[in-house]
Structures are given as C-alpha cells and as structure tokens.
Amino acid sequence: MREPSGQTVGAGALLTILRHGQARTRAELVQLTGLARSTVSQRLDALLDQRWIVPAEEAISSGGRPAIAFAFNRNARLVLAADLGATHARLAVTDLASTVLVERAFDLAIDRGPEETLGWLVATFREMLAEIGHSVAEVCGVGLGLPGPVEHASGRPVNPPIMPGWDAFPVPDWLGARLGAPVLVDNDVNIMALGEHWAVRPETDHLIFVKVGTGIGCGIITERHLHRGAQGAAGDIGHIRVTSADDVVCRCGNVGCLEAVAGGAAMAVRLRQAGETAENSRDVVRLVRAGNTQAVQLIRQAGREIGDVLASIVNFFNPGVIVIGGDVAEAGEHILAGVREVIYSRSLPLATQHLGIRASVLGDRAGVVGAAVMVIEHVLAPEAVDLSVAG
C-alpha cells in the first residue's frame, strides 16, 4: 500500500506518526494510512522488536475490548552531543527526545589539534555514559559542532581560521571508529540555530540565529528547516566586509571583516590596548557587567556593526525572528540595543513590521541541544528506521 504521495508506508513512517501523536492504536494507524490491519501489525511488531516503540500504559476503550495503545520509546537509544567552541566545550548525553541525561561544560582550546581534542572527547563521553549507568553500545549517533566552516556532506572542516591542523581532518571517520556510531558534524552556529528553533521557537518558519563569540556567524532556518547552502557555507557573515574596518586585518587573511571589528576576540584586543585585563569574549562581558565604560561602548558599537550587516540580510531574507546568542550575547541589552538600532532604521518597513530581535533562550546550551536534534532527525528519518528494522 502507498500513501497518496506515492511513498511506501513502511515501519519508519508508522514510527513518525506515533512519535508525533497522530495515532496511537492499530485501528487508528489503519484508518490514517490505508494499510491492511495485518500489514500494520507486522510493522508494529518490527518496531517493538527494535524497541522503537512500547505499549502505552493506558488502554483505549470504545465500548468493546480495549485497544492497545503504542508510544514512541524515547529511551530506545542514546545520543552523544558536543558543541566545541574556540576556548570551551559543552558535552551532553540525551535520549531520543533531546532530553539531557547528563551534561558537562569545560574550558578547552580548539587549537590543540584534532586528535588530542577528539581523543579527549571520546574519553569524556565514556566517563559521562558510565556515570549514568550506560555504555557506548546504546548510542545511536554522535552530533558535533565545530567553530569553523564544515563541508556538511563529508563532515570535514575546510580551512578553519582558528583551528590549526583541522583542515580536511576526517572527523566522522575518526570518531565513528572509536565510538561505534555514525557521526554528524556541522558548524557550531548551525547546530545552535537548530537547537533554539527546536526547543524554543518551533512555530517560527524563518529564523536567523547569530552567534557572537570569539568570531561571528549565523544559522538560517527557512520553512522550519536548517539551510546550509550548496557546500555548508551558508551564514558565514563574520567575513562580510564592513566599510568602517578597511584598515583592519582579519585572521582569515582578508581586510575589513565584520568579525575583525565586532567579534569577542577583537574587542578583547582593544580592551587590552586600553590597559584592561581581557583575554577573550567572556572577559569582555565580565567588564560590561562590571560597568566598565569602554567595554560598554565597544559592545554597543559591535551591535551596530552587526546590525549593519543584518539589515541587508533582513531585506533579502525577511526572517520572522533574529536570535542573538554566543558568549557576547550574555551582555544582554547592550548588544541587542545596537543591533536593533541599525536594523530598524535601515531595513524596509515591511521586512521589520513583525520582526522580533531577541537574545537566545537556551544560551550556551543551544549547541548541544542542536547537535542532539541533528542526530535524532537523522536516526529517526523513516528510511533510516526502515533499514534498522530490516536488520
């Protein structure tokens, strides 16, 4: 039997229906899909065998014999999620609903190189699994965000400016061989956009997530799906040239990049030159919260520079919401005020009529949530489930 679209209604499609609560019983599945009852029963048995579903606690009665209800088993597998930044890392183990079972944050320099960093990642994941009484054998996938350009199809970093030694490193193969599960890798801001949209704003069709940390980038949600572009380079706004920075050399080698003016690392340099103690973007925020006048001025101007670039994007893309995240976003209204000031003054009135510009709700947890979601959507895709039940 086939759906009107021509797609076979396999076990994976039935799991999607149960997962989204569109049906709970055999009879409801038969009515919804048009499949024979025997076919539905066969595919439900396959899902039960693989623990993708479990009998629900309640039975549903329509006056006769109570019908058995089925529910998606969020505990069928585990997901490992990691968000690696320039100077820090956040790791989590989640269930198949992205609920965090254990989570840890660490100071970690990404410039230590891939093998040392990923070796630490494997060891830490194993410790976290042991802590909650589980093993690597229960893991169905690993999601990883990296602070640099990533070719999504291969999961390999491509000329990442702040990640020496990482260029073209086979991250999925290296990690997969040691963790025994498929590994999905993406740019860190893409997974942050995915996490924020999934957990906080799933009803928003068009969303821009801007990460302002050591560097600057943005993730794009369009029609409720992450847009990566042809090779995975969509959203790299940190290297758009800004007119106010013609004499500033960026670490990518070009001149006048937004990141070289408004990124956390650039602001920390300016504060050090002024005699302040500031090694990174978090120090910049610390000074802002302490009321340091120069730090506040820098943050507000950074907001204006970012807003200048985003104004063009608002006119071009017409998002419904812009979310500002990353370390520097912890400065709150100081950076948001600068962003709003320029966007609302330079974008078309129709594009800003219902535009919301807000701080991230998930904060520095957006990345691990998004990394888990990336894996969950991959593992629970109907075709992937069909392969798993076929053995």
Side-chain angles (χ1 to χ4, degrees), residues 192 195-200 330 359-367 369-370:
M192 293 175 81
E196 188 82 14
H197 183 262
W198 167 282
V200 182
E330 297 298 319
S360 168
V361 173
L362 293 182
D364 57 8
R365 298 188 63 248
V369 173

Side-chain angles (χ1 to χ4, degrees), residues 166-206:
W166 286 80
D167 184 34
F169 188 83
V171 177
D173 294 340
W174 198 96
L175 270 181
R178 289 157 178 80
L179 291 172
V183 178
L184 301 179
V185 185
D186 208 338
N187 177 273
D188 58 351
V189 71
N190 278 348
I191 63 170
M192 293 175 81
L194 198 57
E196 188 82 14
H197 183 262
W198 167 282
V200 182
R201 309 180 196 280
E203 76 291 343
T204 301
D205 290 329
H206 305 285

